[in-house]
Amino acid sequence: MAEEGQAPPPDDDCPWENRARMAPPPGPRLPALVQSALFSARPVAFLDACRRRYGGVFQVRIVPFGRLTYLADPAAIKEVFTGDVGVFRAGEANQFMRPTLGEASLLLLDGDEHLRTRKLMLPAFHGAAVRRHAGVMADVAGEEVERWPLGRPFAVRPSMQRITLEVILRTVFGLAEGERLLRLRELLTALMDENPAYLWFEWMRVDLGPRSPFGRFLRLRDRVDAILFDEIARRRRDPGLEDRVDVLSLLLRAGLPDGALRDELMTLLLAGHETTATGLAWACERLARHPEVAARAREDDDYLEATVKEVLRIRPVVLDVARVVAGPAQVAGFDIEPGTMVTPGITTVQRVGDIWPDPEAFRPERFLDGSPAPYSWIPFGGGVRRCLGAAFAQLEMKVVLGAVLERAELRAPPGRGPEAQRLRHVTLVPERDGEVVSTPAQGARRVAHADDARGHAGDDGVVGDVLGDDGARADHAVVADGDPA
């Protein structure tokens, strides 16, 4: 692959004319369609190859996003995460999710509106607020694992999807078993199974009736919305609202209007459910191939927590995070054209050998020896855009894995190698959905409850200064396509 690295010709009208012009980042000169095909088929391998050839900052061209500047260098990532939020605009980069999440979703907001909404939502995801849900997480996980087949291979990801959806419905909505919970569960599952092509291609967002892809999506979304708005209205009338601890009740008391509440609830339901389920599927896939890790995690809560972090490093759920550059900017000394995207690469920075010794090895011990280098572990993004549900997700992974290890011994299916990462919608999933063989556990392990999570969900950077980011503990995570380990 030949490099792109030539500085553009001088332009007297360019707003950058008063400073030295720098070359744009290097990158492959393959046609955009070829790069897009390579990216779609094996995204992690493609980006790793670019990093090895061009360094920690490089450009690729991906349909329909155009030219993307990928960052696999922690110093460059820091520049973006701590840069001017008016220049590096995450909400603008996430606009493709608007049809599903709605225009008031925290993921789609920028500037003062984003910070104002984030401050309103933050108490619902404070450490103490998160820890109170650990018991529900453990109960739901235990009930599901007890139904697992024994002694034969099965894909664990659908099971994890059921667990995380149930946890979200109970902790976000405070719903108990009943017709409303069953209906919402069915509709959300159907909505997530819809063809996502309309997300990427705006020209496909045409309603041609209930049998057309976008028409079917809109009608499903309207049915979900009807339940959400009805539940919001019911909750506003609930005389016991002040005593409820579910997320919906906390957000109502924070003062969010109905439209914004709907969008934030949809964001939590879809983004929080799918990503955590995928992370748990990867955890089971890794533990099945590393029984020594599973044995130690079964007995040691600190090691179990480190295992969660190592899973998020070596098998990330999300490929990258993106910012649209809204004005003249430089990153790592390279000029970035306004209107293009810079994308801190979760998968790439988390397997850089200079930062992570033996990066393809699955070794939770890395996280027992101190914090990772700043901006080298970023599974939840960083800066003021760091995922609001990071503490919730990490606690849920720890509690669910604790329930699994208490009840099951996991091993890899005979004759099946490690699973490669495949891009599905916006997540990196195991190619066979995390196949494992489960047998009853020989030793008992106490399921992690709220007290076990003390110091985990409350002090990981999520509940600190919402405007700031020290980059040490809060901003660090993903990995190889077909890890040989």
Side-chain angles (χ1 to χ4, degrees), residues 60-84:
V60 295
R61 289 177 291 161
I62 305 297
V63 177
F65 300 107
R67 200 177 298 273
L68 305 176
T69 298
Y70 261 90
L71 309 179
D73 173 68
I77 291 172
K78 179 180 180 180
E79 289 185 44
V80 172
F81 282 169
T82 62
D84 185 346

Side-chain angles (χ1 to χ4, degrees), residues 155-225:
V156 76
R157 185 165 169 266
S159 178
M160 293 305 175
Q161 288 175 308
R162 288 191 291 271
I163 290 173
T164 58
L165 180 57
E166 196 72 12
V167 166
I168 287 288
L169 290 174
R170 294 191 188 185
T171 61
V172 170
F173 286 92
L175 294 177
E177 281 296 338
E179 181 63 29
R180 180 173 294 266
L181 179 64
L182 177 64
R183 190 66 185 137
L184 189 54
R185 185 190 298 136
E186 291 174 347
L187 288 172
L188 286 169
T189 300
L191 190 67
M192 288 182 288
D193 286 339
E194 282 296 302
N195 187 330
Y198 62 84
L199 292 177
W200 313 112
F201 302 102
E202 192 169 353
W203 58 268
M204 294 188 67
R205 298 175 194 170
V206 180
D207 183 1
L208 299 177
R211 295 183 182 275
S212 65
F214 193 59
R216 184 169 54 248
F217 160 78
L218 290 177
R219 286 155 180 80
L220 268 173
R221 187 190 66 184
D222 288 346
R223 292 163 73 186
V224 172
D225 284 355

Side-chain angles (χ1 to χ4, degrees), residues 249-448:
S249 298
L250 294 176
L251 294 181
L252 277 168
R253 296 204 295 270
L256 266 68
D258 286 5
L261 266 173
R262 176 269 175 206
D263 293 352
E264 303 309 346
L265 291 174
M266 187 68 83
T267 301
L268 294 170
L269 285 166
L270 297 185
H273 149 64
E274 183 70 12
T275 54
T276 306
T278 299
L280 284 164
W282 276 122
C284 290
E285 191 272 349
R286 292 287 81 199
L287 290 173
R289 287 172 168 77
H290 296 272
E292 74 288 352
V293 173
R296 184 172 173 184
R298 183 176 286 112
E299 302 299 332
D300 184 338
D301 271 358
D302 290 338
Y303 193 76
L304 176 59
E305 186 172 322
T307 299
V308 169
K309 292 178 179 178
E310 176 70 344
V311 168
L312 292 173
R313 182 196 71 82
I314 199 168
R315 287 293 184 266
V317 174
V318 180
L319 189 68
D320 54 45
V321 291
R323 307 284 193 270
V324 170
V325 177
Q330 280 192 348
V331 176
F334 294 105
D335 278 334
I336 309 298
E337 295 182 11
T340 63
M341 285 189 186
V342 290
T343 48
I346 298 173
T347 57
T348 45
V349 74
Q350 292 183 168
R351 46 182 275 109
V352 175
D354 292 344
I355 303 170
W356 302 96
D358 197 8
E360 295 186 19
F362 181 58
R363 288 212 318 261
E365 292 81 3
R366 303 175 197 274
F367 292 91
L368 296 177
D369 299 332
S371 298
Y375 303 97
S376 66
W377 188 81
I378 55 170
F380 301 104
V384 297
R385 304 298 307 215
R386 186 172 189 264
C387 175
L388 196 65
F392 189 103
Q394 290 179 87
L395 178 65
E396 185 175 8
M397 287 187 68
K398 179 181 177 182
V399 171
V400 172
L401 285 180
V404 170
L405 293 172
E406 180 187 35
R407 294 165 175 81
E409 300 275 357
L410 302 179
R411 67 177 189 271
R416 306 303 292 268
E419 298 187 40
Q421 293 166 289
R422 293 291 179 254
L423 195 58
R424 182 181 185 273
H425 298 190
V426 295
T427 55
L428 287 165
V429 302
E431 63 177 341
R432 298 189 300 275
D433 275 348
E435 277 189 339
V436 301
V437 176
S438 174
T439 56
Q442 296 303 308
R445 180 191 183 279
R446 175 176 52 85
V447 177

Side-chain angles (χ1 to χ4, degrees), residues 13 96 129 226 230 384-385 429 465:
D13 296 324
F96 69 95
D230 184 56
V384 297
R385 304 298 307 215
V429 302
D465 182 1

Side-chain angles (χ1 to χ4, degrees), residues 8-17 21:
D11 181 350
D12 291 340
D13 296 324
C14 179
W16 307 350
E17 60 184 345
R21 299 299 302 277

